[in-house]
Amino acid sequence: MKFGKRLKKQVEESLPGWRDKFLAYKRLKVLVRLVSGSSPHRAVAEATFVRLLNDEVDRFNAFFLEQEEEFIIRHKNVQEVRETVKAVAGEEPSEAERAVEMRKVRREIVDLHGEMVLLLNYSAVNYTGLAKILKKYDKRTGRLLRLPFIEEVLKQPFYTTELMSRLVRECEETMAAVFASDNSGDQWTRKCCTDTGMAPMAPEQGILRNTVAALVAMRELRSGSSTYGHFSLPPLAKETEHGLLLSIQVADLVQSEAHGIVRVV
């Protein structure tokens, strides 16, 4: 799949509020054609291309740092979940009360994890887009802009994802701890559905669907294919890929109960 189509697909599968935050790939492609042609406005197009590239990087950084700060705060709150779970268990609440509390906890963790994975994918997709458009630029013009520009991109906040990757791993550990501690709540939910004629709510497609799409995209962007080169993203580490797949599978299994129950009409 050509990158332009892949980017369009990624934008469509992203969160609604994120869809205008991705690389302006089409506009950059138009400028590349102008720069490589015989237009009298070639010099202006070249200056505009470079300026837009820098503006895009600044825009990526601003959005990434904003989201990262929000996730750090939410992550700290989620880390209190383990203590909350222990407290709920210690107080011996009714099965109904415990099930309600656990659904709330599980939903918060699943949503946070999914959104953080989406941010990692946001970084990967936009970096790849920059590398692709610069490759086109160098090929069409005979210049060597890609190497020095990408060397600077590698230092940018939106590309530096070590902190977010660590938060994702810690969130997965919290998910595992919470899900492992929650058995009676599941039993109560199933019993409630049987006794009252109610059924679990169908899994919401939103964040879970987008997270799965993001994981697939990251695997493709980081695959060791024949086109892998110096400017490609490194392949996903096996343990990272396994962790993401496992957490998404767990999220898929619990999502319906994490979002409550509704009456069958």
Side-chain angles (χ1 to χ4, degrees), residues 204-263:
E204 292 190 4
Q205 296 301 307
I207 293 175
L208 178 60
R209 178 196 62 200
N210 296 337
T211 304
V212 173
L215 176 59
V216 171
M218 283 194 289
R219 292 173 69 181
E220 291 177 353
L221 293 173
R222 293 174 178 268
S223 64
S225 66
S226 58
T227 58
Y228 183 83
H230 177 70
F231 298 100
S232 302
L233 289 162
L236 280 176
K238 291 297 183 182
E239 59 272 17
T240 301
E241 182 174 350
H242 175 73
L244 291 173
L245 283 169
L246 180 61
S247 59
I248 288 173
Q249 289 168 354
V250 171
D252 190 19
L253 290 173
V254 305
Q255 191 82 330
S256 59
E257 293 176 2
H259 288 81
I261 50 181
V262 294
R263 184 174 300 278

Side-chain angles (χ1 to χ4, degrees), residues 29-134:
K29 281 183 66 176
V30 169
L31 290 171
V32 167
R33 287 196 292 270
L34 291 175
V35 170
S36 59
S38 57
S39 169
H41 305 295
R42 179 174 179 176
V44 174
E46 183 171 2
T48 302
F49 177 82
V50 174
R51 183 171 63 251
L52 180 56
L53 280 179
N54 286 312
D55 289 345
E56 289 292 88
V57 170
D58 289 342
R59 195 163 61 88
F60 299 158
N61 286 337
F63 178 73
F64 187 90
L65 289 173
E66 178 185 10
Q67 294 300 315
E68 186 177 63
E69 182 178 2
E70 177 185 337
F71 290 150
I72 290 172
I73 294 171
R74 289 172 61 186
H75 181 264
K76 289 180 179 178
N77 294 334
V78 164
Q79 292 309 301
E80 299 174 3
V81 164
R82 295 185 184 183
E83 297 303 320
T84 301
V85 170
K86 293 178 182 178
V88 170
E91 294 171 3
E92 297 184 358
S94 68
E95 289 186 355
E97 292 173 336
R98 186 174 188 279
V100 170
E101 178 66 25
M102 292 308 301
R103 282 199 299 272
K104 177 182 177 182
V105 166
R106 289 158 66 173
R107 175 175 181 171
E108 290 176 355
I109 298 172
V110 169
D111 286 354
L112 174 60
H113 177 266
E115 290 176 43
M116 290 195 296
V117 171
L118 290 177
L119 189 61
L120 291 177
N121 182 60
Y122 173 85
S123 171
V125 168
N126 285 302
Y127 167 81
T128 302
L130 289 172
K132 294 281 188 182
I133 200 65
L134 283 163

Side-chain angles (χ1 to χ4, degrees), residues 102-235:
M102 292 308 301
R103 282 199 299 272
K104 177 182 177 182
V105 166
R106 289 158 66 173
R107 175 175 181 171
E108 290 176 355
I109 298 172
V110 169
D111 286 354
L112 174 60
H113 177 266
E115 290 176 43
M116 290 195 296
V117 171
L118 290 177
L119 189 61
L120 291 177
N121 182 60
Y122 173 85
S123 171
V125 168
N126 285 302
Y127 167 81
T128 302
L130 289 172
K132 294 281 188 182
I133 200 65
L134 283 163
K135 180 179 179 181
K136 289 180 182 294
Y137 177 89
D138 284 1
K139 183 177 180 180
R140 293 284 190 93
T141 65
R143 294 178 175 79
L144 300 174
L145 179 61
R146 181 165 60 152
L147 179 58
F149 195 92
I150 290 298
E151 286 180 345
E152 290 302 313
V153 167
L154 298 182
K155 305 172 187 177
Q156 300 302 313
F158 90 90
Y159 182 82
T160 309
T161 59
E162 287 81 2
L163 174 58
M164 286 306 306
S165 297
R166 178 173 61 81
L167 293 182
V168 167
R169 291 193 297 270
E170 291 178 2
C171 190
E172 290 166 358
E173 293 172 1
T174 302
M175 288 169 66
V178 170
F179 298 150
S181 68
D182 185 29
N183 294 318
S184 60
D186 292 345
Q187 295 170 2
W188 176 84
T189 302
R190 288 191 291 269
K191 183 176 185 298
C192 177
C193 294
T194 301
D195 293 348
T196 64
M198 302 171 77
M201 182 182 293
E204 292 190 4
Q205 296 301 307
I207 293 175
L208 178 60
R209 178 196 62 200
N210 296 337
T211 304
V212 173
L215 176 59
V216 171
M218 283 194 289
R219 292 173 69 181
E220 291 177 353
L221 293 173
R222 293 174 178 268
S223 64
S225 66
S226 58
T227 58
Y228 183 83
H230 177 70
F231 298 100
S232 302
L233 289 162

